[in-house]
Amino acid sequence: MRRHWLLVGACGWVLLILMFVSKFINFSFRTPGDYAGRSEIFVWTLSSVTTKLPSVVWPEKGASQPYILSSVSPSVVEPIDWHLVNEKRLEQLSTVCSNSSIWNLTHTTVRKFVLDRIFVCDKHKILFCQTPKVGNTQWKKVLIVLNGKFSKVEAIPENLVHDHERNGLPRLSSMTDTEIHQRLNSYFKFFIVRDPFERLISAFKDKFVKNPRFEPWYKHDIAPAIVRKYRRSHHDDSESVGLRFEDFVRYLGDKTGRQHLDRQFGDHIIHWLTYAELCAPCDISYNVVGHHETLELDAPYILKSAGIAGLVSYPSIPPGITRYNRTKVERYFSGISQRDIRRLYARYQGDFSLFDYPKPAFLLN
């Protein structure tokens, strides 16, 4: 009997010691990052199950979002208040906009071309700037519903979304100067961005490879013009070969030579223009800048911030479809010369900096 009580007492002391030591023990684990195969370390402490709020963990530069660990389960990672994420993005935008060394890459005159990109929902006082190849079709559907053209996004025919004569989405450029200024100064304004190089890959695939909307001018007019000017080897430069990604990169990185072609191509170049050229983010005060890579979290935040969360929902997003794909980027840029990649980066450096996307060192070095 005496041994039994000694054993119980020893167990009790062990439990007390473990409870005391646990206050000083940290457990950590890694989860894969969104960019460049990086990983971020998230820390959970045993004390996190108390009433204290868990600490915010900001991943290294270039990752899409900060996290906290769930107070319910240490295996669950939760995003922090998305308002803080947006504030951080706007601060980054403001800082880069004031950088005089890249002023010409970040500032754009708010002229008709920019106003053409901005769609208006007067009923709910919203302005949306279209940046192609970042999921804009779905946001147009949201605005079409808000404007009363359809009752839900699922009912909108795909061929109507981009038919600006029939979709009920007025452009800001269609209004008087007084109306434009009034809306720019008082409406909720937002746009979406994406890693600049991955966006270019998407534009190339959509317009010159797949062309799902049957826009023949990309393959029949624009592609041959780029091939004639920028393909280095003319042994197989027939139109049947089609535009290669290296031709496209060489054209985009040609600072002066491409201007003549751009004038010839007209508004079709919007699919690869910079965000600065499209939306003038340093010259228009936007309320929210969403990121394609975190659209699952940005979309509900935008709807809530605009005061329309109870009126319309953003179409469902397949899990992982918006994540950055470094393998794809490496595959497309393999075989392209360092000089051409550096020239391309020089053109889109403003976009990388404004929206805190990491410099693609794995391509440039």
Side-chain angles (χ1 to χ4, degrees):
M1 179 64 70
R2 184 165 177 252
R3 289 180 182 178
H4 173 76
W5 286 111
L6 285 174
L7 181 61
V8 171
C11 290
W13 277 108
V14 170
L15 287 173
L16 286 172
I17 291 170
L18 285 175
M19 291 175 64
F20 176 78
V21 172
S22 69
K23 294 179 179 294
F24 304 97
I25 294 176
N26 289 343
F27 297 94
S28 65
F29 61 94
R30 292 179 179 268
T31 63
D34 283 341
Y35 290 87
R38 296 172 177 171
S39 62
E40 294 81 39
I41 299 178
F42 303 108
V43 178
W44 173 63
T45 64
L46 292 178
S47 60
S48 67
V49 297
T50 67
T51 56
K52 290 183 179 180
L53 290 174
S55 300
V56 174
V57 180
W58 287 89
E60 60 182 299
K61 184 178 186 296
S64 296
Q65 59 189 24
Y67 293 95
I68 56 173
L69 290 178
S70 172
S71 59
V72 177
S73 169
S75 63
V76 177
V77 177
E78 298 176 344
I80 68 166
D81 180 359
W82 215 242
H83 176 72
L84 298 179
V85 178
N86 185 61
E87 287 299 309
K88 183 174 182 287
R89 290 172 177 172
L90 294 179
E91 288 174 10
Q92 170 73 12
L93 180 64
S94 176
T95 298
V96 177
C97 286
S98 62
N99 185 347
S100 59
S101 67
I102 56 172
W103 190 275
N104 63 320
L105 296 176
T106 58
H107 286 260
T108 300
T109 303
V110 183
R111 60 193 191 283
K112 183 180 183 299
F113 180 83
V114 173
L115 300 177
D116 277 344
R117 313 274 77 78
I118 300 177
F119 294 95
V120 183
C121 175
D122 278 327
K123 185 176 181 180
H124 298 281
K125 297 185 176 182
I126 298 171
L127 298 180
F128 166 62
C129 186
Q130 171 182 299
T131 48
K133 315 324 305 169
V134 298
N136 284 278
T137 298
Q138 307 306 328
W139 284 112
K140 282 186 176 180
K141 289 180 179 180
V142 168
L143 293 184
I144 289 171
V145 169
L146 291 174
N147 279 347
K149 192 79 173 178
F150 287 84
S151 60
K152 56 183 180 179
V153 295
E154 294 78 11
I156 305 173
E158 290 295 324
N159 62 349
L160 179 73
V161 179
H162 301 289
D163 185 344
H164 299 120
E165 299 297 324
R166 299 190 300 126
N167 65 12
L169 287 182
R171 299 176 188 263
L172 193 56
S173 59
S174 67
M175 301 178 177
T176 66
D177 287 346
T178 300
E179 291 171 333
I180 290 170
H181 288 298
Q182 186 269 327
R183 285 161 176 75
L184 285 175
N185 290 330
S186 61
Y187 279 23
F188 176 85
K189 301 173 289 294
F190 77 100
F191 67 105
I192 312 296
V193 297
R194 182 183 190 177
D195 176 88
F197 279 7
E198 193 170 38
R199 174 175 169 250
L200 294 179
I201 292 172
S202 178
F204 174 77
K205 288 171 59 180
D206 186 59
K207 300 306 175 186
F208 300 108
V209 180
K210 296 180 179 179
N211 203 249
R213 295 193 184 93
F214 188 66
E215 299 164 308
W217 48 87
Y218 285 101
K219 286 188 175 182
H220 299 162
D221 299 323
I222 294 178
I226 295 175
V227 168
R228 283 192 296 269
K229 185 172 177 63
Y230 293 100
R231 181 160 297 174
R232 287 176 175 166
S233 173
H234 291 277
H235 296 295
D236 55 356
D237 62 352
S238 64
E239 291 186 18
S240 61
V241 174
L243 185 71
R244 295 170 176 165
F245 189 65
E246 61 183 302
D247 306 323
F248 190 52
V249 167
R250 205 168 291 126
Y251 149 66
L252 294 175
D254 186 0
K255 186 175 182 180
T256 56
R258 74 168 188 274
Q259 293 177 1
H260 173 70
L261 288 182
D262 284 351
R263 288 192 293 270
Q264 178 183 327
F265 298 158
D267 280 1
H268 300 310
I269 65 174
I270 64 171
H271 297 278
W272 48 83
L273 286 181
T274 67
Y275 300 124
E277 293 170 306
L278 291 168
C279 295
C282 288
D283 304 277
I284 295 175
S285 296
Y286 288 91
N287 300 92
V288 175
V289 177
H291 281 223
H292 184 262
E293 293 80 5
T294 54
L295 197 55
E296 296 94 329
L297 298 168
D298 281 298
Y301 173 74
I302 291 170
L303 296 178
K304 180 180 178 181
S305 299
I308 55 174
L311 303 175
V312 65
S313 60
Y314 188 87
S316 61
I317 304 170
I321 196 171
T322 63
R323 284 175 64 91
Y324 176 81
N325 188 336
R326 170 171 166 162
T327 301
K328 177 176 66 177
V329 174
E330 288 180 323
R331 183 174 73 250
Y332 270 85
F333 279 91
S334 63
I336 297 179
S337 71
Q338 288 284 301
R339 188 190 72 163
D340 289 337
I341 296 176
R342 284 194 292 268
R343 286 180 173 179
L344 184 70
Y345 177 74
R347 180 179 179 187
Y348 292 90
Q349 181 184 355
D351 281 356
F352 277 97
S353 300
L354 285 169
F355 307 108
D356 208 21
Y357 284 105
K359 182 178 180 179
F362 63 96
L363 297 176
L364 295 166
N365 297 334

